[in-house]
Amino acid sequence: MTNQILEKVNTIPWQERPANSTDVVWRYSKNPIIKRDAIPSSNSIFNSAVVPFEEGFAGVFRCDNKAVQMNIFAGFSKDGLHWDINHEPIVFGAGNTEMIESDYKYDPRVTFIEDRYWITWCNGYHGPTIGIGYTFDFKEFFQCENAFLPFNRNGVLFPEKIDGKYAMLSRPSDNGHTPFGDIYLSYSPDMKYWGEHRCVMKASPFEDSAWQCAKIGAGSVPILVDEGWLMIYHGVINTCNGFRYSMGSAILDKNNPDLVKYRTQPYLLSPQTTYECMGDVPNVIFPCATLHSIEEDKVAIYYGAADTVTALAFGHLSEIVKFTKDNSL
Amino acid sequence: MTNQILEKVNTIPWQERPANSTDVVWRYSKNPIIKRDAIPSSNSIFNSAVVPFEEGFAGVFRCDNKAVQMNIFAGFSKDGLHWDINHEPIVFGAGNTEMIESDYKYDPRVTFIEDRYWITWCNGYHGPTIGIGYTFDFKEFFQCENAFLPFNRNGVLFPEKIDGKYAMLSRPSDNGHTPFGDIYLSYSPDMKYWGEHRCVMKASPFEDSAWQCAKIGAGSVPILVDEGWLMIYHGVINTCNGFRYSMGSAILDKNNPDLVKYRTQPYLLSPQTTYECMGDVPNVIFPCATLHSIEEDKVAIYYGAADTVTALAFGHLSEIVKFTKDNSL
Amino acid sequence: MTNQILEKVNTIPWQERPANSTDVVWRYSKNPIIKRDAIPSSNSIFNSAVVPFEEGFAGVFRCDNKAVQMNIFAGFSKDGLHWDINHEPIVFGAGNTEMIESDYKYDPRVTFIEDRYWITWCNGYHGPTIGIGYTFDFKEFFQCENAFLPFNRNGVLFPEKIDGKYAMLSRPSDNGHTPFGDIYLSYSPDMKYWGEHRCVMKASPFEDSAWQCAKIGAGSVPILVDEGWLMIYHGVINTCNGFRYSMGSAILDKNNPDLVKYRTQPYLLSPQTTYECMGDVPNVIFPCATLHSIEEDKVAIYYGAADTVTALAFGHLSEIVKFTKDNSL
Amino acid sequence: MTNQILEKVNTIPWQERPANSTDVVWRYSKNPIIKRDAIPSSNSIFNSAVVPFEEGFAGVFRCDNKAVQMNIFAGFSKDGLHWDINHEPIVFGAGNTEMIESDYKYDPRVTFIEDRYWITWCNGYHGPTIGIGYTFDFKEFFQCENAFLPFNRNGVLFPEKIDGKYAMLSRPSDNGHTPFGDIYLSYSPDMKYWGEHRCVMKASPFEDSAWQCAKIGAGSVPILVDEGWLMIYHGVINTCNGFRYSMGSAILDKNNPDLVKYRTQPYLLSPQTTYECMGDVPNVIFPCATLHSIEEDKVAIYYGAADTVTALAFGHLSEIVKFTKDNSL
Amino acid sequence: MTNQILEKVNTIPWQERPANSTDVVWRYSKNPIIKRDAIPSSNSIFNSAVVPFEEGFAGVFRCDNKAVQMNIFAGFSKDGLHWDINHEPIVFGAGNTEMIESDYKYDPRVTFIEDRYWITWCNGYHGPTIGIGYTFDFKEFFQCENAFLPFNRNGVLFPEKIDGKYAMLSRPSDNGHTPFGDIYLSYSPDMKYWGEHRCVMKASPFEDSAWQCAKIGAGSVPILVDEGWLMIYHGVINTCNGFRYSMGSAILDKNNPDLVKYRTQPYLLSPQTTYECMGDVPNVIFPCATLHSIEEDKVAIYYGAADTVTALAFGHLSEIVKFTKDNSL
Amino acid sequence: MTNQILEKVNTIPWQERPANSTDVVWRYSKNPIIKRDAIPSSNSIFNSAVVPFEEGFAGVFRCDNKAVQMNIFAGFSKDGLHWDINHEPIVFGAGNTEMIESDYKYDPRVTFIEDRYWITWCNGYHGPTIGIGYTFDFKEFFQCENAFLPFNRNGVLFPEKIDGKYAMLSRPSDNGHTPFGDIYLSYSPDMKYWGEHRCVMKASPFEDSAWQCAKIGAGSVPILVDEGWLMIYHGVINTCNGFRYSMGSAILDKNNPDLVKYRTQPYLLSPQTTYECMGDVPNVIFPCATLHSIEEDKVAIYYGAADTVTALAFGHLSEIVKFTKDNSL
């Protein structure tokens, strides 16, 4: 598969587990890897997505500017750690539609399918919904029809077609600080019309797993492992001082990914460091992408921290899978 | 067109405008035409849809039972005024999917397109969304894939394909007593996958037209007139004592029905009678269907009253169109 | 048993089921039996309780005055239909405590146990909680310790001790228009200290029985029938225009009344008449007492209507029991 | 005083107290005196103000049109019962300012001071505030500077200067369905600049007088009686089904009208009739004006009912004063 | 008294007031004494209780696990600073009831009375209420009937019987992030049935002491001093960015502890350090226990910080008492 | 002009822009300049105002005490960096009124006009409104009539009369954590009566400038520059974890200051440092005063940080003006 070939070429970022740690997922010691002011106009750079590209990596980055307008920018890196992010946001041409209105763009994900890099993001069209675009080269970009009616957030494509159709996870929302949120799956024959909507997994009961009891949303593009699709997702608890976002993992059935086989009862990572607990929105860990190598059994998870900076965590795929199975909700 | 042929065969219900009235739309003097206990199990019968059928009329009725469970029932009438409603709710077989889950069904609309009667309704699938079904004979019914992700209400199909595709109006919602609501349009090549979502019209500013300033939703199936698609819709104001639902009309462009050509600034009908102001939910007028005759220049509008009973109002199509143009927002 | 002896002496109010009705519970044709201004000071008289007493009946009545201060008044009747209500509220002496603070009193229930008439009500002590009092003669009254900490409403005593202890149903609340509410059971050896709190039944899922999906509360004093304790209760739905209160029934296990054997999925009575739908708080049916005759298989249910007047409904005990079993949630 | 001279000329509307009534204030038997559709464009006519004028009476009426836009209209009557209301809203010229923006106008009051009729109303200027205008003849109207910053409602002028300054009662609000509201007094040397703001009276504790425990607002122009300024006001309770508006009275100190001498604990009138309990906003009594005769000891109170129609109630001034003193909060 | 004997045996943790400080209560310089990951499974360890036990100290600790499930664990320490906390939560056997359901357990307190250590905690039984248990040895534990109906939090027992009865402070709550909260006192003859509920102290007016104006709750077990019962409590202000929890003290009457003799207007400690301001719930100081020596005039206050870690503060009892008297609200 | 003369005398605090910075406004490297415990009683010192005075500077400081009571204190400094703040709050004598009630005082501003220093603050009079006072010497203080009815915050006077009248910016509010807020202008001939209220600028649309999309309020006293009045203001975004306050600038027309000529789309400063992000209310930058020198083209901006401490930022006036013009919303 094309994607796996790419993985072989690129050496993903990596740092061994600290000596004193038994955690399944551990933080990069030099976090955050992208600071809030990494480009001149930026107020914050977070909730961003990366993929292997050519000899290194490319990415689509959420850079809120100092007017706190949300937009997405292309960027490039040789090692996945140091990033050159364009100083101007991505400009889209018309893809499968002329209607490419966008009041704002945020929280992008990127996936390579067949012949191109597909980008999904939260697109402002009379409220948040899921925007879709693609690029072949991270230079020229094309915007397609929005996938869904408003209100929706966290649209994440599977990296290959399932039963001949594109498949996307998303989280139906409302027009504000949505206090609810579950993960759904939808299919499309053509990236234009979507249907066969299925509820995949819901926020958990408070008693069972409180960190994910208010809302949940898909994070990074699912990774195909032996057990199925490994999905990193975020879960939210509504504390008396606001929402706290943590990270967990789930394994979905390979052929029927609306079936959840396993799902972590404990979180993999919760906001505990200063850069996760202090910033524009405190106590947020928000994963949007991974770089991974099946062969090397490694994954590097990119996540937004405190809605302000971009950070990195590492793990062994096999350990995450085992942990997910052994600690399933 | 098949639909127009049917219209010729059936004599729609009619009552002349009262002598002392200058209203564009006037109530039937024997309202409500369907009482809350018209079938043994019913708590209320309202927000229901009717179409010409064979020698007379058929319909799909929202009958909440005395446990206040919401479901839809088939019914038949010779004159459109007296209705025989089945005592058991509609049972659906599998249409274009085996996934026909439904926690509840309410607020149906019915439309004849090409070869069959399509039914849309608010379908309970992890919250309200738009269910789709069809029948050829109002005896056997088939349920299709839900059109959209939750949360949505008030899905109304156009009575013919537009540019070769099915077209549906709907109102994205949230999972409760949604305090917002605008009308969108979506297209489908096959009644299974939907896309090309467009915002059609929004709740109005309070200063301009307060009766429709909180939310709006499509009502009856649009009627094709010379000026475009005549749509009866409901508008809602959020008073200090709750929501009040009234009825207005809009004319959408024939070929691009996401373009609003005219839209009534005044309401056509607001809750003023006892059966509209007193009931399970006071102060509600909720139109779901019309019977009309282009040739006779008549329309009979069926509407739910106070979420309790079904009522009828009349008007001349040409007058409603003129009123909509002359009093456009 | 003393209570049954009393029942034999008094002829409870009764009116046969209307000819055209198949309802299990039907309204008195001369409702409301107590109007809002039945005593000079009253703004409204509703949510009141009656018992057999001497040759006729006595009662404790919630009479809000024209300052809309809530208090309870004694009253007497020969036939249960025409009531002489005292013009001054009940004055309590010290019962098992000197602490008989009461900012307000409302929604009384009355029960004869062993040697006296026990009264429970919603008592204002830093918010609503359950007040307890007793009388031997409806002339002299004594107030005891509040049963519970605030916040609580709808305290209803069982008419006899269970396993040697007093038993009370109640509904924990908050300090406002509580949007939740379930029925609990508590025991006391002495009417002073309470414990062994058990959850009895909860508001139902919306899909199963929407009229009781927001909150429920015990209504009248449970009646011991062969199947167990027959309890009339109220259930509430939160509509977009406020709360609607209806009436249902449940049968609790005779010896372990925290076990619900049956519970009506449909309501027995919902607000449908003008005096139930129009008043200080529209759309409220709130049962607080019954008069019943096991031998004659009759029950007369007293309920507050629209928080304004007092009304009466009738039924056959055996039919209500059968209906509860046959239509159990 | 000019105003008293006028009172002698005009015979105010009157109807004796019903034989069976002991109420201090009683309704007109032919209520409502102005129906919702009294002019062709109107959806509702309510919360309106009248004054003696020439041989009869003039008034300023809140007529919401069928777009539910709020505006004020002039009207005239010979007997105070039958009113000719202009079909077009009042058009204002520039008074003491060129800035006469007005997104909407509602709830007018009218007062004659010195040489002209002053009108105050709720004026839409970036939200509700108090608009001021005047007329000499009810034909030509002039608009002045708004009295206050947003957000405010229920501005009511005293009918004469106090200590050489204009004096106005008002109720600071917020930008929605304000859940709070107290009555304040402000002074102006020139009807342009306002200051010396004083809190006059506040919503009452729930336990003391629940009908006025959520918010209160000045109603009609105060009437100078021996005891001071007699003010009819509205009080509001927030029930579980929305706000209920009732009417009370207070007596303010003649020279220091921020001092409340007496204030009714019971209401004078609460929503009890169909036209008060059913309409666009159920359960509203909202007094805006009186016609009165000190000599004849009569007052006719005009009030909006259910935000839909205009109604009338009567009383003897001396009785109302005595009732206010005897039943003071 | 047994308790005082114990106090003599054990040397409580202590650190002198910093040289530059005049604070009545000061922090331990090595705070936090228990980190969030002190046991392998823990997400956070906070809001925990300790007592003198054998040669050293024992405690019951709130350890939320990484699924953010709340439970209580036993632990032991020689010096009160370094703690060995069991890796498995406490398992309770049946105490005075078989009904020992518990959806979750949090915020424990521990008190020695007569012959055993009583533990109270917030127990999940259809919402939060007060759970009661006991142990003789911190190895075997027994659970009793819940003290109260839901919803309640912060149940704190007095360390000896008062007038022959057990006495407990608690804070009635609702089922969410309760925005209100006052302290009540209840009595029990037998730890099973509770009554004689009294309001002890309420949240203060904003103007008088804003740090405790939203809600208050009992903290540590009251300490008997000459002036009465010294109670450390928490007070909460609702800022525009959430709740902030601080610590104060009050002195209750020795024999009638529902009488508040003194209560600090200023806080004793408010969130100011990083470990109090940053964590799972920022800006929280939550005292649950003290170790104290009357003879040495010392108290060590254990408190949860930021709902994440456990910290320690010190003071002289006599100074705290004096401060409470001198700065009483 | 007197004010300019003063400016010449005093050397305002200054620190050059850091070498690596291109920011228009930069922080003082020794921030915070006033710590939370700078006087013995203080819990926090923030949102305070300073002016040139005699040889140095004087100021009025918001010092919340440890009961979190809000009050204002006078203070003095030679260099504007080191401040001696009185240990007792300002005591006011009667200015133009005897009515100088004040439940609390916070967020002061100070302006020299004509012959004295005027102080405005948020004054507690039945809720927050704008208090006014003056001093000649910062020793004796006089309180005047409140400018407006409640509810209002952030009253800021212009430093000279405009068209012969005093002019004040303010932000109408409600009685809680107001979720809205726009800036208005009012005039007064005499500092007692206020009128000619004009809306100056509103919170921005989310899409255009999210940091100021929830509410805005005037900050420091406007500075007269060639382009008009330079106003430093605060803007607020309502995140899912509470409000975040940032700083921007606007230029108002010199003669008609209700006309906004320019207004920054980006913020000038947003909460990013620990002392801005951690404290009693995290993520708050709240400017209340400047010291500036037109001749030297310098401004020192004083702002409260995290509602806890006082900090300082610097800029060149000409650069801020240019930035405001070049980046205007």
Side-chain angles (χ1 to χ4, degrees), chain C residues 134-206:
Chain C
Y134 61 85
T135 184
F136 295 93
D137 54 11
F138 286 93
K139 290 179 190 154
E140 201 173 10
F141 293 84
F142 301 91
Q143 185 171 346
C144 300
E145 283 286 341
N146 292 323
F148 309 119
L149 285 163
F151 305 93
N152 206 310
R153 292 180 174 98
N154 297 306
V156 178
L157 285 166
F158 280 76
E160 53 184 73
K161 285 187 174 178
I162 293 175
D163 198 20
K165 291 169 285 190
Y166 297 101
M168 192 194 291
L169 300 165
S170 74
R171 195 191 70 190
S173 301
D174 68 10
N175 60 355
H177 295 306
T178 318
F180 59 84
D182 301 322
I183 299 177
Y184 286 74
L185 179 66
S186 305
Y187 290 94
S188 173
D190 52 10
M191 279 284 187
K192 189 166 186 178
Y193 302 99
W194 293 83
E196 294 179 278
H197 312 289
R198 295 292 178 276
C199 184
V200 177
M201 56 191 249
K202 298 194 146 188
S204 62
F206 173 82

Side-chain angles (χ1 to χ4, degrees), chain F residues 47-51 58-62 83 108-110 288-289 302:
Chain F
N47 301 359
S48 303
V50 300
V51 284
V60 178
F61 296 85
R62 172 179 177 173
W83 287 88
R109 274 78 167 189
V110 184
C288 282
Y302 289 76

Side-chain angles (χ1 to χ4, degrees), chain B residues 216-291:
Chain B
I216 55 173
S220 56
V221 170
I223 300 169
L224 190 56
V225 293
D226 288 347
E227 285 78 0
W229 292 104
L230 175 65
M231 174 180 67
I232 305 294
Y233 68 99
H234 66 262
V236 186
I237 182 173
N238 186 7
T239 81
C240 71
N241 278 357
F243 290 126
R244 183 168 80 241
Y245 285 73
S246 302
M247 180 200 300
S249 57
I251 297 174
L252 311 180
D253 185 78
K254 180 175 175 175
N255 299 314
N256 297 300
D258 56 322
L259 298 178
V260 180
K261 295 175 68 178
Y262 311 102
R263 171 183 173 186
T264 50
Q265 188 172 26
Y267 57 73
L268 289 178
L269 217 60
S270 85
Q272 303 198 2
T273 68
T274 300
Y275 57 87
E276 292 158 351
C277 294
M278 206 168 79
D280 276 5
V281 182
N283 286 353
V284 176
I285 280 183
F286 197 93
C288 281
T290 66
L291 294 176

Side-chain angles (χ1 to χ4, degrees), chain A residues 162-163 185 187 224 228-229 252-259:
Chain A
I162 293 175
D163 199 19
L185 180 66
Y187 290 96
L224 190 55
W229 293 103
L252 311 180
D253 185 79
K254 179 175 176 176
N255 299 314
N256 298 298
D258 56 321
L259 298 179

